[in-house]
Amino acid sequence: MPANGVCSVGLEVIEDTATYASGSDSAGVSEDEEVQQLFVSGADRVTSVPPPKKSSDVRNTTKLSQQQQLQQQQQQQDEGKSVSEKRYASLPNREQHQQFLTEFLTEVLNSAVFNATDRSNKVLNWVDPEELKRTLDLAIKDEPDTHEKLLELTRATIRHSVKTGHPYFMNQLFSSVDPYGFAGQVLTDALNPSVYTFEVSPVFVLMEEVVLREMRSIVGYPDGEGDGIFAPGGSMANGYAISCARHKFMPDIKTKGLHALPRLVIFTSEDAHYSVKKLASFMGIGSDNVYAIKTDNVGKIRVDHLESEILRAKSEGALPFMVSATAGTTVIGAFDPLEQIADLCAKHNLWMHVDAAWGGGALMSKKYRTLLKGIERSDSVTWNPHKLLAAPQQCSTLLTRHRNILSECHSTNATYLFQKDKFYDTRYDTGDKHIQCGRRADVLKFWFMWRAKGSAGFEAHIDKVFENAEHFTNSIKSRPGFEMVIENPECTNVCFWYVPPGLRTVPRDTAEYRERLHKVAPKVKERMMKEGSMMITYQPIHDKPNFFRLVLQNSSLDKSDMNYIIDEIERLGKDL
């Protein structure tokens, strides 16, 4: 209570020691202030009030040393500081933070969510790296910025960031700002959990159990049985699959390591995601022991070559232990023949993994889940809801039919976290089956979306993005200057060349044609980014020159957007 010498009958004094959460500082409260704090509503609460001090007593008590006077002055200055200057305290309070957070969230909603996804606004405001360094105030300082400055930095960050939720951002295998996913993400950050024990994350441990079981059921594992985890990205999920497969075949690796053990071999498509090779290297298997299997003319793994490579590895004295198939390759969007691969894995006793990070979302649709026929026979599956289902980054899962294998493979039973004598059922302390310790509750945003849309909503979403891909494909097939790389795409990846008018008369079988065509996509990409009109990626593959890869997973797009994309590429590249 302020020392103003006024007794307010209607004001109740809170007797608990003040904290930064209340916006006050209890340090250095004067004796006079303590006396005044006794004047409260209700005379029965005032037991005694010391008499006023005589002037002589005051003079005696004010005879302080110079050092004490300086300390007192500093103390008074500290007391006089506004709450906003005490930034080091890691706890929000209404007085200090409510207005700032309200203004901050309003700015985020307006600029990073609604305006950023408006078709009339740019996907990005391109600035060269060196100029951007000079433009942005990124320096770290000793003293804190004001709230006004922090809001200014927020606006600058949004202004110079790519708006990945924009309908015309189709550059990677993710996009959109799903409103319910966004809400779940905000709630996750507000609660700031770490999902390793039930005692600190009771809701999220149970939520993961429900969601992962449902996903296993959708994959086709009987009754949804098995195991699963949320992983920090599809690459790590693939790494978990390799780890589990290796453990199943050689459990001694967990304790004895790779020393003096047979050479292990993994098989995957030459068009598979690079994470299979990268994680094999990381885990000590070695990238040379990931045998790349040839693909056919539409990007599917060749089963005949797969079996010949399995036999070759055995003849070399190696131990083949795993095939990593792909359901929706990164570039072409091809689905490997899972049933035939399952037959080979059963024949040669190999772990069958399916990297469905991209194409797994098609399982939600009765019409398109046939693309993954045979996935139910797999040992494990990577499935990223942040890709085709448009959940916010990151949201990746590993699913396996084998119960407890993740714990058997990774647990170490640290007694400071996973005590077995807790008062509740410690089977719900699931964190030990992860190689991480601290871990975000990535499940919440996905679960929130699922409850908001229902499985039927996810099915409608998948059907819509495939419908858009089919319309785009049919449109460019009939438009002069556009040519398909894969005539009939399986997924929502549409790969195509744009051939400008000046190149259409050049003979196709010449080096000049290939060299000039190879330069078209990079130049068009440069122009679209500098104008901010859209973002679509390009790449070569095998012996093919650069081509565009349109990837669709934003179900808010319609046929007019497909037409816009075609027209915009033609506008940007017609003079090349």
Side-chain angles (χ1 to χ4, degrees):
M1 176 177 178
N4 55 17
V6 178
C7 178
S8 176
V9 176
L11 179 64
E12 180 179 357
V13 175
I14 299 174
E15 296 178 337
D16 292 335
T17 303
T19 66
Y20 289 111
S22 66
S24 304
D25 190 345
S26 63
V29 177
S30 69
E31 187 175 359
D32 286 347
E33 288 176 315
E34 290 177 352
V35 170
Q36 292 182 52
Q37 287 175 1
L38 296 173
F39 287 88
V40 295
S41 176
D44 58 321
R45 295 180 63 184
V46 183
T47 57
S48 65
V49 179
K53 293 181 181 180
K54 297 179 181 178
S55 60
S56 59
D57 294 333
V58 174
R59 283 196 298 271
N60 289 334
T61 58
T62 56
K63 291 180 180 179
L64 303 173
S65 67
Q66 185 177 9
Q67 181 179 4
Q68 288 173 319
Q69 289 176 358
L70 290 172
Q71 289 175 342
Q72 189 180 61
Q73 290 174 2
Q74 182 62 50
Q75 186 179 53
Q76 291 171 347
Q77 290 173 2
D78 288 344
E79 290 171 3
K81 287 183 177 181
S82 66
V83 176
S84 62
E85 291 178 282
K86 298 173 182 176
R87 293 289 184 81
Y88 60 85
S90 301
L91 190 67
N93 66 72
R94 292 184 185 278
E95 181 180 352
Q96 185 177 357
H97 299 112
Q98 183 166 352
Q99 182 177 350
F100 167 69
L101 289 174
T102 299
E103 292 178 3
F104 172 80
L105 290 172
T106 299
E107 186 67 47
V108 169
L109 285 172
N110 285 336
S111 300
V113 177
F114 294 114
N115 289 344
T117 59
D118 191 323
R119 287 169 173 79
S120 64
N121 292 327
K122 292 183 176 183
V123 176
L124 74 158
N125 296 291
W126 173 259
V127 180
D128 287 321
E130 294 303 318
E131 183 182 347
L132 189 58
K133 285 183 183 179
R134 295 189 295 269
T135 300
L136 291 176
D137 178 9
L138 299 177
I140 303 301
K141 306 172 184 178
D142 288 335
E143 297 301 318
D145 283 319
T146 64
H147 283 171
E148 290 73 18
K149 178 63 175 178
L150 293 175
L151 291 170
E152 178 188 319
L153 295 172
T154 300
R155 287 187 285 270
T157 300
I158 295 170
R159 182 166 58 252
H160 292 291
S161 293
V162 175
K163 311 308 184 293
T164 61
H166 196 287
Y168 300 146
F169 176 85
M170 296 155 285
N171 205 65
Q172 262 74 45
L173 303 182
F174 71 92
S175 73
S176 82
V177 180
D178 184 89
Y180 302 108
F182 173 75
Q185 185 101 305
V186 171
L187 181 54
T188 300
D189 288 339
L191 294 172
N192 193 32
S194 188
V195 190
Y196 35 54
T197 61
F198 181 83
E199 66 181 282
V200 296
S201 288
V203 175
F204 303 120
V205 165
L206 298 180
M207 192 179 284
E208 284 190 343
E209 185 179 82
V210 169
V211 170
L212 291 169
R213 174 178 286 273
E214 184 64 21
M215 293 178 77
R216 290 193 298 268
S217 179
I218 290 170
V219 165
Y221 297 154
D223 299 320
E225 288 294 322
D227 206 347
I229 54 173
F230 279 80
S235 293
M236 288 304 299
N238 286 338
Y240 273 113
I242 296 171
S243 180
C244 289
R246 185 176 67 176
H247 180 81
K248 182 176 182 294
F249 280 83
M250 308 192 76
D252 285 348
I253 287 181
K254 180 177 180 179
T255 53
K256 295 182 171 59
L258 295 171
H259 179 68
L261 294 173
R263 179 168 67 90
L264 302 175
V265 174
I266 301 170
F267 307 92
T268 196
S269 158
E270 61 182 342
D271 292 347
H273 193 264
Y274 65 82
S275 59
V276 177
K277 183 173 288 189
K278 180 173 287 191
L279 268 295
S281 176
F282 179 79
M283 295 171 63
I285 294 171
S287 57
D288 286 349
N289 292 315
V290 179
Y291 286 17
I293 308 303
K294 295 176 181 178
T295 55
D296 61 21
N297 58 359
V298 293
K300 296 176 180 289
I301 199 169
R302 282 179 43 193
V303 178
D304 60 334
H305 187 238
L306 172 59
E307 182 159 34
S308 69
E309 288 294 274
I310 293 170
L311 295 174
R312 177 171 76 88
K314 289 181 176 181
S315 70
E316 295 168 346
L319 179 64
F321 75 104
M322 177 182 184
V323 175
S324 181
T326 309
T329 56
T330 304
V331 177
I332 301 299
F335 290 79
D336 286 338
L338 301 182
E339 288 190 301
Q340 296 176 54
I341 293 171
D343 290 341
L344 273 184
C345 288
K347 178 179 178 180
H348 294 281
N349 191 31
L350 304 177
W351 180 286
M352 178 183 173
H353 175 64
V354 180
D355 179 0
W358 173 228
L363 289 167
M364 302 296 289
S365 167
K366 291 185 286 291
K367 181 177 181 180
Y368 294 102
R369 67 169 289 120
T370 56
L371 291 166
L372 298 97
K373 189 177 181 182
I375 195 171
E376 70 281 358
R377 297 175 60 187
S378 66
D379 291 284
S380 59
V381 172
T382 291
W383 180 0
N384 289 5
H386 74 237
K387 291 189 174 178
L388 204 51
L389 292 180
Q393 291 269 30
Q394 64 191 21
C395 191
S396 305
T397 64
L398 175 79
L399 312 167
T400 175
R401 66 167 58 252
H402 301 281
R403 297 188 65 183
N404 302 321
I405 193 166
L406 285 159
S407 293
E408 294 168 3
C409 184
H410 303 123
S411 64
T412 57
N413 299 306
T415 55
Y416 57 82
L417 188 59
F418 303 111
Q419 305 93 332
K420 299 304 181 186
D421 55 353
K422 293 180 180 179
F423 64 92
Y424 60 85
D425 187 346
T426 57
R427 288 179 300 173
Y428 292 102
D429 288 354
T430 58
D432 209 14
K433 64 184 179 182
H434 294 256
I435 59 172
Q436 294 171 265
C437 182
R439 187 169 59 86
R440 283 175 55 85
D442 289 329
V443 64
L444 177 54
K445 54 202 167 191
F446 184 44
W447 175 86
F448 208 78
M449 287 176 65
W450 208 331
R451 290 297 295 263
K453 300 168 185 284
S455 298
F458 276 141
E459 180 172 25
H461 164 86
I462 292 296
D463 290 348
K464 182 64 179 293
V465 294
F466 271 87
E467 177 187 323
N468 283 337
E470 290 161 9
H471 176 80
F472 186 89
T473 298
N474 293 332
S475 296
I476 62 173
K477 283 182 177 181
S478 61
R479 181 77 72 96
F482 288 85
E483 298 181 8
M484 298 293 295
V485 176
I486 301 295
E487 192 67 18
N488 297 301
E490 285 189 293
C491 199
T492 64
N493 314 44
V494 185
C495 300
F496 61 95
W497 289 285
Y498 172 65
V499 184
L503 188 55
R504 294 173 197 171
T505 58
V506 178
R508 297 298 182 91
D509 57 351
T510 62
E512 179 192 358
Y513 179 84
R514 291 180 58 84
E515 290 171 6
R516 288 178 59 182
L517 182 60
H518 191 65
K519 296 175 182 178
V520 170
K523 191 62 181 178
V524 172
K525 176 68 177 288
E526 176 188 347
R527 291 176 176 180
M528 72 171 67
M529 289 190 65
K530 287 182 175 179
E531 290 192 20
S533 60
M534 61 184 184
M535 281 183 68
I536 298 175
T537 193
Y538 70 87
Q539 64 283 300
I541 191 170
H542 306 311
D543 60 344
K544 293 179 171 60
N546 280 323
F547 55 87
F548 290 105
R549 180 196 62 170
L550 176 71
V551 284
L552 296 169
Q553 66 273 352
N554 187 335
S555 55
S556 68
L557 275 65
D558 55 29
K559 293 179 180 180
S560 66
D561 294 311
M562 301 301 102
N563 297 335
Y564 167 82
I565 295 165
I566 298 168
D567 293 341
E568 186 67 2
I569 289 175
E570 191 171 52
R571 181 184 73 82
L572 294 169
K574 63 184 178 182
D575 65 329
L576 296 177

